[in-house]
Amino acid sequence: MVPTLIVLGLLVIGFVYFSQVYADVLWYNQLGFLEVFVTENLSRIGLFVAAFLIMAASVYFSLRIAYRSRPIYAPDSNVQDNLNRYQAQLEPIRRLLMLGIPIVLGAFAGTAASSQWERMLLFFNSESFGQTDPEFGLDIGFYVFTLPFLNFLLGFLVSVTVISGIAGVLTHYLYGGIRLEEKGLFTSRAARTHIAVLAALFLILQGVNYWLDRYATVTSSSGKWAGALYTDVNAVIPTKAILAAAAVIVAVLFIVSAVIGRWRLPVIGTAMLVITAILAGGVYPWVIQRFQVVPSEFSREEPFIERNMEMTRAAYGLDGVQVTDYGVEEVPQEGALNEDGETTANIRLLDPNLVSDAFSQLQQFRQYYQFPEILNVDRYEIDGEIEDTVIAVRELNTAGVPAGWINEHVYYTHGYGVVAAAGSTVQPDGRPAFIQSGIPSTGLLGDESTFEPRIYFGEESPEYSIVGAPEGATPLEIDRPQTEESDQEARSTFQGDGGPVVGNFFNRLVYALKFQSTDLLLSDQVNDQSQILYDRDPVDRVEKVAPYLTLDSNTYPAIVDGRVKWIIDGYTTTADYPYSTQQELQSATVDSLTATGVSTALPAERVNYIRNAVKATVDAYDGSVDLYAWDDEDPILKAWQEIYPSSLQPYSEMSADLMAHVRYPEDLFKVQRELLARYHVTQTQPFYSNNQAWAVPVDPTLEDGERAVKQPPFYLSLQMPDQESASFSLTTPFIPFVPEGQEPRNILYGFLAADGDAGTGEDGVKAETYGALRLLDSSGQDSAVGPGQAANLFNSDTEVSQELNLLRQGASEVISGNLLTLPIGGGIAYVQPVYVQSSGDSSFPVLRRVLVSFGEQVGFAPTLAEALDQVFQGDSGAETGDSENVGETPNDPAAPPAGEEPTAEPTEEPTTPAEPGTGDPAADLRAALEEANAAIQEGQDALAEGDFAAYGEAQERLDQALQRALDAESRLSGASGDAGQ
């Protein structure tokens, strides 16, 4: 029975393993990327087998040779007696050990080697960079593709040699070929020959290693600057060549000793090699560094610093930055924004990091729907004009699904609809101005007749769903509410090709094992047309079909060609680019959003070369993945195209609609801005002294007590001073660099914008300006206001702080939106939306005010248009997205508290504003403030007495008083503006 049970157990384990492989084959085949799965696994298997055979054979023959050459007779001694006992104990299992030890060691070696499949594939499919390194004159492809594989192969062979040598020496010792005697160490001729051959082989490999180490100096990051520096070029590289030759000579001496039977020469040679390695490899470079480089560091290192500057900019795509000196105007002039109409019309007031709650309260409709915590910014053509848009999809919320296998995996399978709001305006009451909303999905972006709104694949999709049914079958899937007000749910059946078929028993068994679900195997809800949808996160899908890519952390949805598509940016990277400074991706992409956990940074991987090589899309309905070779000049991507010839499409296959929605990737921009803060300097002397270095400013909107982290970049449509028209760009400011622990100088020194408009209106044609990096350099001025100073101006302004502090005293919370930096009016303007949220359970932030600064002037008004006019002497000359809202803010004291969902069903029509007060606005403001203070005091007294009913009444009076104060302040501001005109 025992053998039978063992066999059965092995069969079960084998079937389980086979089922996982078979499930993967079905998944990749259904998606059309089977070659990725096959190529990767065949490469892994090939490496495993090759490494296994080499290691196992080497160890086996080393053991075998040592055993067969053992002395037949050995002198008696206590040591030999002990060895004889060991031999007697091992003899019954000797043959098993002679096979088992090589097999075990071979398995370990094969497993380790199989992880290097990418290096192997790139080595055999290497491409030329068309650029050489400045030290050896070799193509950069040698360092990226060839050298890493040679280092792996050399390290593996050294391991084989060392392990085989250890195995042979132990066997010789166990069987008397090596033994300790009174006269010293005795070795048989066979043992000496065996050891000499292995030592010679080890030394030859060490010589090759020394030779390759010469090339590794140009990718080293051990010095102050990356690459081979003065000491490397003048001491390390020559001595490595000498050591390589010496190692080969000593290897020859070992071969000679194996023939003549004398150890004196190889022992002397080995000692000389060790001494040479210490002196030439360690002491000599230290002497050169200490006595030649340190006293005259700049003059010695200048040519190598220049190499580092040039190669780093090339490796990170910074060699084409368009730098413009920008003299910042600090005094706002009337009509100064007349020439900035495209920028001011698209100044984004809707903060995508704050309005998720507003989307949820106004557009969720069911507990089984949800929106992401951070929404995305894209642009769409509205009435013939391109407008920035805050967009999200209504995904399925599995926490809101009734418990039960059928509910979780058969009935509730997908989300529904796209919700989008204009970025540059809001409704008069401060709520988002939706351009796409509702159920059924309708709006300016289309409806169910023009695009497929169902979201089967998304960032919050269930682990797996069973979909599909025979034609004519009753639909089972909960599709959506029939209407926004309806209590009834419409049902539907998935009509696409989204996952492997589980209609037959075998496939159901395979996936029942994969997901450990007997329900999947036994349920009668699974029919012969059923498909199983899993691995539904767009990032997970792209990672599986393109394992060679590092993916951007910001995935966003777009309506493209009648479908909702998730768009993902993929990067090719390496850490082996000569003379390029390494960056850790995680630290470079951390900002205030990633630090608070609402967004994610890239993994902790060190690179010194990065390209946005691929644009990937995932269809939200059927999960289909398309990979487009975006940077078709990237040699690393070209190599992967050779490896996977049918996986990537040229970007010429992209539709014009898709081209219009790709954007400059955020994580790449973060990495580039981190490098550009120092590498914008083009002269070696200031670069060396670091006296012109910049830094990314700390996010000034963080609350007290939050960790000081970098401000995130922002997507904006703006026209840079040297541009003919506005473009959708990713932007960031720079301030002077200050060493850690010192107070930063919040002066604006630079402003960077990356052009993200790729569309030309034609299929497969990329705009020539896409990816252009435009840098405004204002470092010649020490008075240009930086983001931190702008935030301080807002907080220290008497009128602003008085009104904000008043709002904070009540039941409402004041929330600062993102602080946008804008190069307009010949200077730098800062715009920050101010949101107010009540304390109700169903509350959400609504836009109540806009802060603007230009130079030292501050504007604070219900609309951006009014705030700009306040700053620019009563007339900015700007046309803003919220110009039509001027004078339309709600003044009804009985209106619901700011940001609280009304009891009636919300509509997109603005609430009719109440008539403004007809009395003196200053007197009305004073009276409202007095009433608010009285209500606060009454509320505190009621709370102290435990009278919660009275406390609630006091809070209602406080809300009404605050609303009247805001209305009075608005009329007062309007009167001031009219007087100024």
Side-chain angles (χ1 to χ4, degrees):
M1 289 295 295
V2 173
T4 302
L5 291 175
I6 292 175
V7 171
L8 288 175
L10 291 175
L11 288 175
V12 169
I13 293 172
F15 180 76
V16 171
Y17 177 77
F18 166 78
S19 69
Q20 304 308 304
V21 175
Y22 180 68
D24 284 340
V25 170
L26 292 177
W27 189 89
Y28 279 96
N29 186 57
Q30 183 276 325
L31 207 53
F33 287 88
L34 186 59
E35 74 165 355
V36 174
F37 179 81
V38 172
T39 301
E40 176 180 340
N41 284 280
L42 287 180
S43 301
R44 287 180 179 272
I45 292 170
L47 275 173
F48 178 89
V49 171
F52 174 86
L53 291 176
I54 293 172
M55 177 64 80
S58 299
V59 173
Y60 174 78
F61 283 112
S62 185
L63 292 171
R64 188 72 178 168
I65 290 170
Y67 176 75
R68 291 177 64 88
S69 62
R70 69 193 184 281
I72 302 301
Y73 301 102
D76 293 333
S77 67
N78 292 333
V79 174
Q80 189 61 40
D81 289 341
N82 291 331
L83 292 177
N84 289 337
R85 285 195 295 270
Y86 291 142
Q87 293 173 16
Q89 292 173 356
L90 291 175
E91 187 59 29
I93 58 171
R94 176 181 56 79
R95 293 188 178 183
L96 179 62
L97 290 176
M98 295 282 274
L99 290 175
I101 291 174
I103 289 173
V104 171
L105 292 174
F108 279 114
T111 302
S114 65
S115 65
Q116 302 298 313
W117 65 276
E118 290 186 342
R119 285 188 178 185
M120 181 197 70
L121 290 176
L122 288 174
F123 172 76
F124 287 109
N125 295 274
S126 60
E127 294 283 333
S128 170
F129 273 69
Q131 180 185 4
T132 59
D133 78 279
E135 178 58 32
F136 295 102
L138 297 175
D139 188 271
I140 291 173
F142 169 78
Y143 299 97
V144 174
F145 301 121
T146 305
L147 189 58
F149 180 75
L150 293 180
N151 284 331
F152 151 69
L153 187 61
L154 183 64
F156 172 74
L157 293 176
V158 168
S159 299
V160 170
T161 303
V162 170
I163 293 173
S164 299
I166 293 173
V169 167
L170 289 176
T171 305
H172 280 297
Y173 178 73
L174 181 63
Y175 287 95
I178 300 174
R179 60 182 181 268
L180 294 173
E181 297 180 343
E182 293 181 0
K183 296 179 181 180
L185 182 67
F186 169 80
T187 56
S188 66
R189 180 178 179 83
R192 288 198 303 271
T193 303
H194 191 176
I195 294 172
V197 170
L198 288 174
L201 180 59
F202 174 80
L203 287 167
I204 291 172
L205 293 174
Q206 192 60 40
V208 176
N209 186 50
Y210 280 132
W211 188 260
L212 293 181
D213 279 349
R214 298 163 59 252
Y215 302 113
T217 57
V218 300
T219 61
S220 171
S221 296
S222 59
K224 287 186 178 180
W225 303 274
L229 305 179
Y230 181 89
T231 300
D232 297 311
V233 171
N234 293 280
V236 175
I237 292 175
T239 55
K240 291 288 185 181
I242 294 171
L243 289 171
V248 173
I249 292 171
V250 176
V252 173
L253 294 178
F254 270 99
I255 297 297
V256 172
S257 74
V259 176
I260 66 177
R262 295 179 181 178
W263 288 90
R264 183 180 299 246
L265 287 177
V267 169
I268 294 174
T270 302
M272 292 300 296
L273 179 62
V274 171
I275 294 172
T276 304
I278 294 172
L279 294 177
V283 176
Y284 178 60
W286 179 85
V287 170
I288 295 296
Q289 180 70 26
R290 177 63 185 84
F291 295 103
Q292 290 192 22
V293 176
V294 172
S296 308
E297 186 174 58
F298 177 69
S299 61
R300 299 289 187 184
E301 302 287 26
E302 184 179 13
F304 307 105
I305 294 173
E306 188 172 1
R307 291 178 179 181
N308 171 249
M309 294 167 65
E310 293 177 358
M311 300 295 279
T312 298
R313 284 196 288 264
Y316 288 94
L318 300 174
D319 47 351
V321 177
Q322 304 170 23
V323 183
T324 302
D325 290 332
Y326 191 61
V328 177
E329 175 63 52
E330 299 176 36
V331 180
Q333 302 293 328
E334 182 178 354
L337 304 185
N338 282 319
E339 302 299 321
D340 296 293
E342 287 191 79
T343 298
T344 58
N346 277 295
I347 294 177
R348 183 167 45 75
L349 300 178
L350 209 61
D351 187 343
N353 308 320
L354 295 180
V355 297
S356 177
D357 286 345
F359 274 51
S360 297
Q361 291 293 338
L362 300 175
Q363 290 295 319
Q364 184 169 313
F365 299 119
R366 288 292 193 272
Q367 82 282 0
Y368 54 79
Y369 287 141
Q370 65 178 325
F371 289 100
E373 191 171 356
I374 293 182
L375 309 186
N376 285 286
V377 180
D378 199 357
R379 67 281 195 204
Y380 286 85
E381 184 174 340
I382 308 297
D383 296 330
E385 299 290 335
I386 301 297
E387 294 188 14
D388 291 1
T389 305
V390 176
I391 189 170
V393 296
R394 196 183 286 111
E395 290 205 58
L396 184 64
N397 179 10
T398 54
V401 172
W405 185 85
I406 292 179
N407 275 332
E408 295 171 359
H409 299 290
V410 178
Y411 288 170
Y412 292 89
T413 59
H414 61 278
Y416 176 88
V418 173
V419 178
S424 59
T425 188
V426 294
Q427 294 186 20
D429 62 358
R431 303 175 188 220
F434 292 111
I435 60 175
Q436 186 73 27
S437 61
I439 290 180
S441 184
T442 57
L444 299 177
L445 307 185
D447 54 35
E448 288 195 9
S449 66
T450 60
F451 77 93
E452 173 55 67
R454 291 161 185 84
I455 311 298
Y456 281 88
F457 293 82
E459 296 174 305
E460 301 296 334
S461 294
E463 181 184 18
Y464 70 91
S465 294
I466 305 299
V467 299
E471 187 175 350
T474 302
L476 298 176
E477 300 174 48
I478 304 295
D479 188 30
R480 58 170 173 80
Q482 292 184 353
T483 63
E484 295 171 12
E485 297 82 9
S486 174
D487 293 333
Q488 301 298 316
E489 315 294 333
R491 292 181 179 261
S492 67
T493 299
F494 179 76
Q495 298 297 326
D497 180 15
V501 175
V502 288
N504 60 72
F505 178 80
F506 184 76
N507 284 8
R508 289 172 68 173
L509 176 60
V510 165
Y511 282 103
L513 289 171
K514 180 177 178 64
F515 293 107
Q516 300 179 16
S517 171
T518 56
D519 296 296
L520 199 158
L521 180 64
L522 303 175
S523 175
D524 59 3
Q525 302 297 324
V526 184
N527 57 72
D528 59 356
Q529 297 297 316
S530 290
Q531 302 173 41
I532 183 168
L533 312 183
Y534 64 100
D535 287 334
R536 299 163 73 176
D537 188 307
V539 171
D540 292 343
R541 295 179 79 78
V542 176
E543 281 180 343
K544 289 186 69 172
V545 302
Y548 49 89
L549 294 177
T550 298
L551 301 184
D552 193 274
S553 60
N554 194 342
T555 302
Y556 62 100
I559 299 176
V560 176
D561 299 321
R563 312 283 282 198
V564 177
K565 300 274 191 178
W566 295 96
I567 301 177
I568 307 169
D569 287 284
Y571 308 120
T572 51
T573 63
T574 183
D576 299 310
Y577 197 94
Y579 278 100
S580 177
T581 297
Q582 286 192 3
Q583 282 281 92
E584 187 191 60
L585 294 180
Q586 186 178 68
S587 61
T589 54
V590 165
D591 58 27
S592 59
L593 297 180
T594 62
T596 54
V598 296
S599 181
T600 57
L602 290 180
E605 174 188 357
R606 299 195 68 85
V607 305
N608 64 4
Y609 171 94
I610 186 170
R611 288 291 185 270
N612 178 204
V614 172
K615 299 286 186 182
T617 66
V618 176
D619 193 293
Y621 184 75
D622 63 18
S624 57
V625 178
D626 289 303
L627 304 177
Y628 297 98
W630 186 250
D631 188 348
D632 52 6
E633 297 300 318
D634 174 35
I636 298 179
L637 182 64
K638 287 181 178 180
W640 285 113
Q641 285 180 293
E642 291 291 327
I643 296 165
Y644 300 128
S646 64
S647 292
L648 290 111
Q649 307 174 54
Y651 73 80
S652 59
E653 296 296 318
M654 297 173 70
S655 69
D657 201 9
L658 176 56
M659 282 279 195
H661 288 285
V662 301
R663 63 189 191 186
Y664 200 82
E666 191 168 336
D667 285 330
L668 172 62
F669 186 77
K670 291 180 186 178
V671 173
Q672 288 178 319
R673 73 174 180 175
E674 200 71 18
L675 267 298
L676 196 63
R678 188 175 185 193
Y679 283 86
H680 70 277
V681 180
T682 56
Q683 301 297 318
T684 52
Q685 177 61 58
F687 181 85
Y688 169 79
S689 60
N690 206 37
N691 58 11
Q692 294 184 9
W694 298 345
V696 178
V698 169
D699 191 341
T701 65
L702 294 174
E703 299 291 339
D704 292 340
E706 292 184 309
R707 183 162 64 95
V709 286
K710 301 181 188 75
Q711 186 181 37
F714 297 118
Y715 285 104
L716 299 168
S717 285
L718 81 161
Q719 182 178 356
M720 293 286 278
D722 59 340
Q723 280 185 279
E724 296 181 358
S725 60
S727 63
F728 187 70
S729 304
L730 192 54
T731 65
T732 191
F734 291 103
I735 62 174
F737 170 78
V738 176
E740 188 174 355
Q742 299 184 19
E743 286 295 321
R745 297 174 59 218
N746 271 294
I747 301 167
L748 188 80
Y749 263 21
F751 180 83
L752 178 67
D755 193 325
D757 275 337
T760 61
E762 299 180 41
D763 293 341
V765 179
K766 186 194 308 185
E768 293 182 1
T769 56
Y770 173 85
L773 296 174
R774 300 181 176 90
L775 177 64
L776 302 182
D777 185 348
S778 59
S779 58
Q781 298 177 246
D782 269 350
S783 57
V785 174
Q789 286 183 334
N792 290 333
L793 285 172
F794 294 154
N795 294 331
S796 60
D797 186 275
T798 305
E799 294 183 10
V800 173
S801 61
Q802 181 181 10
E803 187 167 337
L804 293 181
N805 289 335
L806 177 63
L807 289 174
R808 292 187 180 103
Q809 290 177 13
S812 297
E813 178 186 4
V814 177
I815 306 172
S816 299
N818 43 211
L819 182 63
L820 305 179
T821 306
L822 300 162
I824 55 177
I828 296 292
Y830 294 94
V831 175
Q832 184 175 41
V834 178
Y835 291 81
V836 177
Q837 183 171 5
S838 75
S839 58
D841 291 337
S842 59
S843 65
F844 54 87
V846 293
L847 182 67
R848 284 302 193 202
R849 291 292 183 271
V850 180
L851 281 164
V852 173
S853 76
F854 189 97
E856 299 289 334
Q857 299 299 312
V858 173
F860 187 56
T863 65
L864 174 62
E866 294 169 284
L868 287 171
D869 286 342
Q870 290 177 8
V871 170
F872 289 89
Q873 301 183 16
D875 181 14
S876 67
E879 187 69 29
T880 65
D882 67 348
S883 296
E884 295 183 2
N885 286 352
V886 174
E888 294 295 321
T889 53
N891 298 304
D892 183 4
E900 185 169 318
E901 188 178 9
T903 54
E905 194 68 24
T907 65
E908 293 184 22
E909 295 298 325
T911 305
T912 304
E915 290 296 326
T918 56
D920 181 9
D924 289 347
L925 178 60
R926 287 193 297 271
L929 293 177
E930 291 174 0
E931 185 176 344
N933 287 326
I936 291 172
Q937 186 60 48
E938 291 174 10
Q940 291 175 345
D941 294 341
L943 195 61
E945 296 175 1
D947 189 347
F948 294 103
Y951 174 75
E953 294 175 359
Q955 292 303 304
E956 290 182 5
R957 290 196 298 276
L958 175 61
D959 286 339
Q960 295 172 5
L962 291 176
Q963 184 63 57
R964 286 197 294 275
L966 290 173
D967 297 338
E969 189 273 340
S970 177
R971 288 186 284 115
L972 186 62
S973 299
S976 300
D978 293 339
Q981 295 176 12

